[in-house]
Amino acid sequence: MRVPLSWLREYVDLPATETGRDVQAKLISAGLEVETVEHLGADLKGPLVVGQVLTIEELEGFKKPIRFCTVDVGQANGTGEPQEIVCGARNFSVGDKVVVVLPGATLPGGFSISARKTYGKVSHGMICSSDELGMGDDGTHGIIVLPPETEVGKDAVELLELVDEVLDIAVTANRGDCLSIRGVARETAIAYGLPLRDPALLDVPGPNAFGYPVKVSDPAGCDRFTARTVTGLSPEARSPIWLQRRLQKVGMRPISLAVDVTNYVMMELGQPLHAYDRHQVQGTIGVRRAQEGEKIVTLDGVERKLHAEDLVITDDRGPIGLAGVMGGADTEIADHDPAEAGAAATTDVIIEAAHFDQVSVARTARRHKLSSEASRRFERGVDPQAASAAAQRTVDLLVLLAGGTAEAGVTEVIAPSAPHTITLAADHPHKVAGVTYGRETVVRRLQEVGCDVYGQDELIVTVPSWRPDLTDPNDLAEEVIRLEGYENLPSTLPRPPAGRGLTGRQRLHRRVGRALAGAGYVEALNYPFVSEQVFDQLGLEADDPARRVVKLVNPLSDEEPALRTSLLPGLLAALRRNDGRGSHDLALFETGLVFQPRDAARVAANLPVDRRPSPDDIAALNAALPDQPRHVAVVLAGAREQAGWWGKGRPADWADAVEAARTVAREAGAELGIRKGQYGPWHPGRCAELTVTVDGAERVVGHAGELHPRVLKTLGLPARACAMELDLDVLERVGDTVPQAPSISTFPVATQDVALVVDAYVPASDVEAALREGAGELLESIRLFDVYENAEQLGEGRKSLAYALRFRADDRTLTVDEASAAREAAVALATDRTGAVLRG
């Protein structure tokens, strides 16, 4: 909501020294989010005056039409002589009053004006458009043409109100009252402790039998409908400058007098209005739900098929407007255009000021993808008591500015309703804030926002009609707290009970993050939303469990309506984005939840808010939620080790992804099995399947390796990119988190190397497992240090695996015979299980 400070001062007598920044600070302290203060005309410097066009000479021989004009600017140029100006605009004629900027002036943006030769003539100044003066869109896209009665030589800066300050307020969804100058003025008056001149306090005639006939068939959707009629509007009447400028400052474009007046009153009072051409309305105006299949052409020229839940305004022909959203083209106000021969301008209008149901308007606006200034306000709550005052204000302005006549008939259809009351303990705000305010302060603050308050220890509070967001005692407590100042609340840190700290799951999460960061990975946090097309891009099979997703009813983006079942889509998108911005050597990691739907869908119950839910309530809620295991994933691309004086560097490859998995497993205290695998996005020849033993059975917990070239091309990723993903919860389950201190022996180690030849398809992990088991307790460590393949020496389909075995005893120095015996036992078991033979 854009709020001009000059408009705000009409309703609150702010000190003359108060600037927009001062008001911003006050409103922020009161809980409104004032994002910026725009200084209109801050860099504007005159002379900027009103001139009258005396002559126009068309210059020939140029690519675009050019005109050489003489303009009377009075004594503003110091001589009284006509000012010679070159101009390319075509929307003005001899005799028109225009805005002229003279040499020596500076326009917004630091554009200095001086006499200069152009198109063979010397131009002494410029005839201005609204864009050049920073006024915003006035709908003409040309030179500003002022009313004929404007005085020549008058200061245009003052006339056009070019210097002002505008507060830009981000209004939250619960504060619909602040989508109006009236609402912001009320908050300003409270913040400064000043009286408010409420623009809605008008003398309004009561309803009578002479008003335009209205029938409301759905009082739940429309509980108040006011109709007024104004006749005899002058077709030549135009919106005065002050009205146009106020609309431009709040971000609206002037259109025509009748439409501008309804927009002005909406911005002033917060009540959306609509003006119908009376001659185009046929019969009684009605309010009802649409019939399935009905159609309407809205003011934006789009034909819309209506839904049975849409609330519509009708006449005898059918729908003529979407209630609270947008009017129909059939009853649109017609403006007088002299260029159109026989065009009939609207002279008689029916003013509608109604109050529609918030939910109905919101659903209609979203269903038709048609958000408007009116729907924005109805969705957030409009003061129903302001409808009659807004209609009266509109009538008064049309009579004043367009020479119309207000008909005596007044129509008001009102559904009976009682004011909302809330019972509030006088000390309830104290308990919420932890600050003792006192009963007098509580009562005073509630009265300032418009509440009627009665009672002593227990207060009976009647909520004002313009605050539909105040529904329970906590809302009232919030009003007291925010007006007393959030900054005055004490800052008290909670003290956790002794012996309680991070859970085991949280500690593992932190250890894994630190370990990966220490290994050179950078953490990337991604949104948990994905599109189902990403599974095709990752090459997952049609029956892959990862394709079963949880879909959101109201997603942030229609393109990503599902919750992720893998961390890879988000990480790969981050990899692509950073690579596209010039960072080619990347190592990213993420730990986070994935979401797996349960076999039986359940509906979560609404939990109570007046007490802590019972354990059964919480268990039932958790049972209705999808499974949410925690995963860890990494992606790599480019150089893993940078080149420099120390060496050539090394690109990231599949082994780095596998090593990241080992790093995670070490932190979890889990023994990770690694073997050749094939799955989804990974290259079938460079993919490791990662396993652990759970309850005596082997379980696959992830994969690591190089991504498939087809996946890289589809996702636009750099060549040879690698990735790893693990189920961190399973690793925690099987891991031993008890810290293991390293053992330091005083006895020497005995090292034995062994080279075994096996078939090429035999995994090195199987050979290692057999060697480890066969070597027995004396084996301290085993390391694969060489893999050799040569068909001439080893035979076709054979490979050589060389291992370094370290033996050590805790109580003695091993003899050569003991170490050799352990080595031979290890080789024997490897031979028996894998068919390995000693090389050479």
Side-chain angles (χ1 to χ4, degrees):
M1 176 68 190
R2 290 170 57 85
V3 180
L5 191 60
S6 58
W7 199 350
L8 195 62
R9 289 183 182 274
E10 283 197 8
Y11 309 127
V12 184
D13 288 326
L14 293 172
T17 57
E18 287 294 286
T19 66
R21 295 290 185 189
D22 299 328
V23 177
Q24 178 189 30
K26 285 282 189 179
L27 292 180
I28 289 175
S29 179
L32 293 186
E33 187 179 346
V34 185
E35 293 187 329
T36 59
V37 177
E38 184 179 353
H39 298 269
L40 302 182
D43 51 356
L44 177 64
K45 178 184 175 183
L48 189 72
V49 298
V50 176
Q52 183 173 20
V53 180
L54 301 179
T55 65
I56 298 177
E57 177 188 349
E58 301 289 345
L59 301 182
E60 304 294 338
F62 300 102
K63 292 183 179 180
K64 61 179 182 178
I66 299 296
R67 311 167 95 185
F68 181 65
C69 311
T70 58
V71 184
D72 178 14
V73 294
Q75 296 298 318
N77 58 4
T79 65
E81 296 295 324
Q83 201 80 0
E84 295 180 338
I85 299 174
V86 175
C87 183
R90 314 289 297 176
N91 68 313
F92 65 95
S93 306
V94 172
D96 283 346
K97 303 289 181 64
V98 294
V99 178
V100 179
V101 58
L102 301 177
T106 303
L107 294 183
F111 183 57
S112 299
I113 302 299
S114 60
R116 64 189 183 94
K117 187 173 182 179
T118 179
Y119 298 103
K121 300 285 186 178
V122 177
S123 181
H124 298 274
M126 187 169 73
I127 302 175
C128 298
S129 68
S130 59
D131 287 339
E132 290 163 341
L133 297 179
M135 295 170 56
D137 186 10
D138 64 354
T140 65
H141 302 291
I143 294 302
I144 301 171
V145 178
L146 301 171
E149 64 273 12
T150 310
E151 179 186 349
V152 172
K154 183 178 177 64
D155 183 5
V157 174
E158 180 182 352
L159 175 69
L160 299 177
E161 302 177 13
L162 296 178
V163 178
D164 202 350
E165 292 181 277
V166 179
L167 286 70
D168 193 352
I169 303 176
V171 179
T172 54
N174 66 316
R175 291 303 304 272
D177 60 305
C178 288
L179 286 174
S180 67
I181 304 297
R182 179 196 184 201
V184 177
R186 183 182 294 109
E187 291 295 319
T188 306
I190 295 172
Y192 278 92
L194 297 171
L196 170 69
R197 288 188 293 276
D198 192 343
L201 294 180
L202 301 174
D203 291 330
V204 180
N208 53 52
F210 309 108
Y212 197 91
V214 173
K215 180 182 178 182
V216 177
S217 303
D218 190 341
C222 175
D223 57 7
R224 182 180 293 264
F225 194 106
T226 300
R228 301 288 298 276
T229 304
V230 182
T231 60
L233 302 181
S234 172
E236 289 78 22
R238 293 291 177 267
S239 300
I241 292 174
W242 64 266
L243 178 59
Q244 294 186 47
R245 287 297 294 132
R246 286 194 170 178
L247 288 177
Q248 288 174 326
K249 289 177 185 179
V250 298
M252 302 192 77
R253 179 172 63 86
I255 299 173
S256 64
L257 179 57
V259 176
D260 292 349
V261 167
T262 58
N263 286 336
Y264 177 85
V265 175
M266 176 179 66
M267 289 297 177
E268 182 180 56
L269 301 182
Q271 168 66 53
L273 301 109
H274 190 70
Y276 301 92
D277 187 327
R278 182 176 181 179
H279 298 295
Q280 301 300 325
V281 178
Q282 299 180 11
T284 300
I285 291 178
V287 183
R288 62 169 172 83
R289 298 289 172 175
Q291 298 175 9
E292 194 69 43
E294 280 188 310
K295 296 181 179 179
I296 183 176
V297 179
T298 46
L299 288 173
D300 57 358
V302 177
E303 183 179 75
R304 303 180 186 278
K305 186 176 180 181
L306 300 178
H307 188 274
E309 290 185 3
D310 291 336
L311 193 66
V312 293
I313 311 298
T314 65
D315 64 4
D316 290 349
R317 296 167 297 177
I320 59 173
L322 283 173
V325 181
M326 185 174 286
D330 291 342
T331 57
E332 181 179 7
I333 298 294
D335 193 16
H336 173 67
D337 188 351
E340 295 186 15
T346 298
T347 57
D348 301 340
V349 297
I350 301 172
I351 304 301
E352 166 211 307
H355 184 260
F356 300 111
D357 176 61
Q358 293 178 240
V359 175
S360 177
V361 172
R363 288 179 175 172
T364 296
R366 283 159 179 73
R367 187 179 297 117
H368 295 283
K369 294 181 173 61
L370 185 61
S371 179
S372 63
E373 291 288 347
S375 67
R376 242 182 108 219
R377 284 159 176 78
F378 279 122
E379 289 173 16
R380 289 159 176 78
V382 169
D383 181 5
Q385 303 293 336
S388 56
Q392 182 63 47
R393 177 74 165 138
T394 305
V395 169
D396 292 343
L397 287 173
L398 289 176
V399 170
L400 175 66
L401 302 177
T405 301
E407 288 195 350
V410 177
T411 303
E412 277 198 9
V413 180
I414 303 175
S417 63
H420 181 55
T421 60
I422 302 171
T423 301
L424 174 74
D427 62 349
H428 183 68
H430 312 164
K431 297 177 182 178
V432 174
V435 176
T436 301
Y437 293 117
R439 177 189 177 280
E440 293 75 14
T441 299
V442 172
V443 172
R444 175 172 56 84
R445 289 303 191 182
L446 292 178
Q447 289 175 338
E448 285 177 346
V449 299
C451 297
D452 291 330
V453 185
Y454 302 96
Q456 292 298 319
D457 294 337
E458 187 173 82
L459 305 178
I460 307 299
V461 182
T462 302
V463 175
S465 59
W466 57 82
R467 292 298 303 273
D469 59 306
L470 303 181
T471 60
D472 57 58
N474 284 332
D475 293 330
L476 299 179
E478 182 184 7
E479 292 300 296
V480 175
I481 295 168
R482 75 175 181 88
L483 294 178
E484 284 296 305
Y486 289 122
E487 69 276 8
N488 296 323
L489 292 176
S491 177
T492 305
L493 294 177
R495 294 183 179 181
R500 296 186 184 180
L502 298 176
T503 65
R505 191 184 196 204
Q506 291 170 330
R507 289 195 295 271
L508 175 60
H509 177 235
R510 292 193 178 187
R511 287 202 309 272
V512 167
R514 285 194 294 264
L516 290 175
Y521 291 85
V522 177
E523 186 171 16
L525 301 178
N526 300 292
Y527 288 115
F529 312 117
V530 296
S531 67
E532 293 184 85
Q533 288 73 27
V534 75
F535 301 125
D536 296 327
Q537 297 171 338
L538 292 177
L540 300 187
E541 298 292 339
D543 58 348
D544 195 299
R547 286 183 176 270
R548 295 184 61 239
V549 295
V550 178
K551 289 188 177 180
L552 301 174
V553 175
N554 188 21
L556 293 180
S557 169
D558 292 336
E559 296 179 356
E560 296 181 330
L563 293 174
R564 66 190 178 191
T565 56
S566 167
L567 300 182
L568 288 184
L571 270 180
L572 294 177
L575 181 71
R576 179 179 62 247
R577 186 164 53 250
N578 283 276
D579 181 71
R581 295 176 180 176
S583 298
H584 304 302
D585 303 325
L586 295 162
L588 308 177
F589 83 93
E590 181 178 11
T591 53
L593 302 179
V594 298
F595 305 86
Q596 301 167 350
R598 298 181 187 271
D599 295 332
R602 301 183 183 181
V603 178
N606 291 325
L607 298 184
V609 296
D610 58 340
R611 57 181 172 80
R612 175 181 170 80
S614 68
D616 291 340
D617 291 335
I618 297 176
L621 177 63
N622 289 332
L625 297 176
D627 289 327
Q628 301 176 53
R630 185 180 297 276
H631 281 201
V632 57
V634 306
V635 293
L636 305 99
R640 184 66 177 137
E641 295 177 3
Q642 295 292 334
W645 58 265
W646 53 85
K648 296 181 180 179
R650 180 178 67 82
D653 61 18
W654 63 269
D656 294 300
V658 174
E659 182 57 29
R662 288 196 179 99
T663 300
V664 173
R666 282 195 296 269
E667 294 299 322
E671 186 174 344
L672 192 66
I674 302 173
R675 65 189 182 199
K676 182 179 180 181
Q678 182 173 345
Y679 177 70
W682 280 277
H683 192 297
R686 297 169 188 154
C687 173
E689 190 173 71
L690 310 174
T691 65
V692 294
T693 301
V694 182
D695 298 330
E698 190 176 63
R699 177 172 172 180
V700 177
V701 291
H703 295 83
E706 185 178 315
L707 295 175
H708 198 291
R710 182 171 57 250
V711 173
L712 299 179
K713 182 179 180 180
T714 302
L715 295 177
L717 299 172
R720 308 301 292 269
C722 303
M724 178 278 294
E725 184 167 13
L726 274 173
D727 189 327
L728 196 53
D729 282 354
V730 176
L731 289 182
E732 179 190 9
R733 178 181 169 188
V734 302
D736 182 6
T737 58
V738 177
Q740 298 293 328
S743 60
I744 301 176
S745 175
T746 58
F747 298 99
V749 65
T751 301
Q752 297 271 355
D753 292 345
V754 58
L756 301 176
V757 178
V758 296
D759 290 333
Y761 64 82
V762 175
S765 58
D766 290 353
V767 178
E768 180 180 327
L771 290 173
R772 186 183 299 277
E773 182 178 344
E777 296 180 352
L778 294 179
L779 182 66
E780 181 180 77
S781 67
I782 181 172
R783 179 174 60 88
L784 174 67
F785 66 86
D786 182 56
V787 178
Y788 177 71
E789 295 182 6
N790 188 311
E792 294 182 0
Q793 297 184 15
L794 303 178
E796 191 69 33
R798 304 280 282 175
K799 64 182 178 182
S800 171
L801 304 176
Y803 293 89
L805 286 72
R806 291 167 57 90
F807 299 97
R808 195 193 313 254
D810 295 334
D811 56 352
R812 67 189 186 280
T813 298
L814 293 177
T815 65
V816 174
D817 292 340
E818 288 177 308
S820 298
R823 172 182 177 275
E824 291 172 1
V827 172
L829 187 58
T831 300
D832 182 56
R833 288 189 178 177
T834 66
V837 296
L838 282 171
R839 181 179 168 189

